[in-house]
Amino acid sequence: MKPRERAAGQDKGAVVDLPELRPGQSVELLKELHILTRDGRLNQDSRRKLKQVSHLFQFIEPLLEEMAADGHAPLLADHGAGKSYLGFILYDLYFKAMGRGHIYGIETRAELVEKSRALAKRLGFERMSFLNLSVAQSQDAAELPERIDLVTALHACDTATDDAIAFGLQKHARAMVLVPCCQAEVAACLRAGKALQLSRTPLAELWRHPLHTRELGSQITNVLRCLHLEASGYQVTVTELVGWEHSMKNELIIARYTGQKKHSATERLRAILQQFGLESSLGPRFGLTA
């Protein structure tokens, strides 16, 4: 029996007339997160938010079940946690009934960290910790264990997703679940070398217009991330998180560690950086040396 199935019916405040809620899901928690109103209703924005997190849980749950085999206590780090919607719902639906494991929420805004700490204490979610750190700072934080099983980053902006990947590699993560957001770094690099690239190759037409520069920069960034993960020994799957009508930041990257580092991924990564004139600026970010 899965942990979330054992939890079904244990929350005396549970309601069953909202199809968006999962069996055993805590109504009290959803009200505290302002996803449900005081009378147990969902508005359109909250329904969209809950749909995203619930859909992401469907991808994360089987990973946790693999990690929890043989009595292991999974350790999860949630980067760019914000109000910790994802962490709280993961704890409520999985960790609470399992009785072991720990979730670390990592967030730069101190007021959100304090609110999450207070909410976890109020709800009795004892195996949750919240750290007021950037993703980059968390790599060397003494409060975190040397190894983390699962790394998540839901809408971690710009280079924070790359920092989350670097964190996962350093912590020997068994899996990473990433939803990138607002990638701007590659677009800025493309704009800087646009005149030279237009004279060098007709491919530069792909980013001659500002809108195309932004969208292509985002696409290239995620392709580079996937190749970096494959070169580091991960099997990568890319899919949609939810329908585009719910979120424009919709790309979901799931990486499982296999230990099989792909040399071809390294070569393709280098070739793409060279093709777009990005090798010197971004090579080190993706594990390439001169």
Side-chain angles (χ1 to χ4, degrees), residues 1-9 22-25 57 61 65 92-94 97-98:
M1 183 179 294
K2 297 178 182 178
R4 66 176 178 85
E5 293 173 337
R6 291 199 301 270
R22 299 175 67 92
Q25 191 157 17
F57 175 77
E61 183 182 27
E65 289 185 340
D92 179 47
L93 291 177
Y94 197 88
M98 182 170 56

Side-chain angles (χ1 to χ4, degrees), residues 193-204 207 271-278:
K194 186 180 297 184
L196 175 62
Q197 292 293 329
L198 280 168
S199 65
R200 188 176 73 85
T201 172
L203 286 177
W207 68 94
I272 290 173
L273 290 171
Q274 290 175 340
Q275 180 65 52
F276 289 96
L278 301 170

Side-chain angles (χ1 to χ4, degrees), residues 107-178:
E107 170 58 43
T108 58
R109 289 165 287 183
E111 68 277 10
L112 296 183
V113 172
E114 288 303 319
K115 287 180 179 179
S116 293
R117 287 172 178 167
L119 178 56
K121 183 177 181 180
R122 192 157 62 246
L123 294 174
F125 289 7
E126 297 177 351
R127 287 171 288 106
M128 292 190 79
S129 302
F130 300 93
L131 307 180
N132 183 203
L133 300 168
S134 69
V135 184
Q137 290 170 335
S138 68
Q139 293 185 43
D140 300 314
E143 302 95 322
L144 288 162
E146 291 185 6
R147 299 197 67 152
I148 290 287
D149 294 296
L150 179 60
V151 173
T152 60
L154 176 58
H155 294 159
C157 282
D158 202 15
T159 59
T161 298
D162 299 309
D163 293 336
I165 291 173
F167 174 92
L169 295 178
Q170 179 179 316
K171 297 293 185 180
H172 307 287
R174 294 168 63 180
M176 303 187 213
V177 179
L178 313 165

Side-chain angles (χ1 to χ4, degrees), residues 25-155:
Q25 191 157 17
S26 170
V27 173
E28 180 187 0
L29 170 63
L30 296 179
K31 287 181 179 180
E32 291 279 4
L33 294 175
H34 303 293
I35 291 177
L36 286 181
T37 61
R38 290 184 179 180
D39 58 356
R41 297 181 182 276
L42 280 168
N43 62 36
Q44 193 58 37
D45 181 60
S46 295
R47 179 174 281 107
R48 184 164 51 245
K49 190 174 298 179
L50 181 60
K51 184 179 180 67
Q52 288 185 46
V53 176
S54 297
H55 196 59
L56 191 57
F57 175 77
Q58 294 179 12
F59 290 101
I60 293 174
E61 183 182 27
L63 297 173
L64 288 172
E65 289 185 340
E66 290 178 16
M67 295 170 186
D70 302 322
H72 179 67
L75 303 179
L76 183 150
D78 180 29
H79 287 291
K83 296 179 180 179
S84 293
Y85 293 110
L86 177 60
F88 278 115
I89 289 176
L90 283 172
Y91 193 98
D92 179 47
L93 291 177
Y94 197 88
F95 284 78
K96 182 170 66 175
M98 182 170 56
R100 61 184 187 276
H102 201 102
I103 294 177
Y104 298 89
I106 298 163
E107 170 58 43
T108 58
R109 289 165 287 183
E111 68 277 10
L112 296 183
V113 172
E114 288 303 319
K115 287 180 179 179
S116 293
R117 287 172 178 167
L119 178 56
K121 183 177 181 180
R122 192 157 62 246
L123 294 174
F125 289 7
E126 297 177 351
R127 287 171 288 106
M128 292 190 79
S129 302
F130 300 93
L131 307 180
N132 183 203
L133 300 168
S134 69
V135 184
Q137 290 170 335
S138 68
Q139 293 185 43
D140 300 314
E143 302 95 322
L144 288 162
E146 291 185 6
R147 299 197 67 152
I148 290 287
D149 294 296
L150 179 60
V151 173
T152 60
L154 176 58
H155 294 159

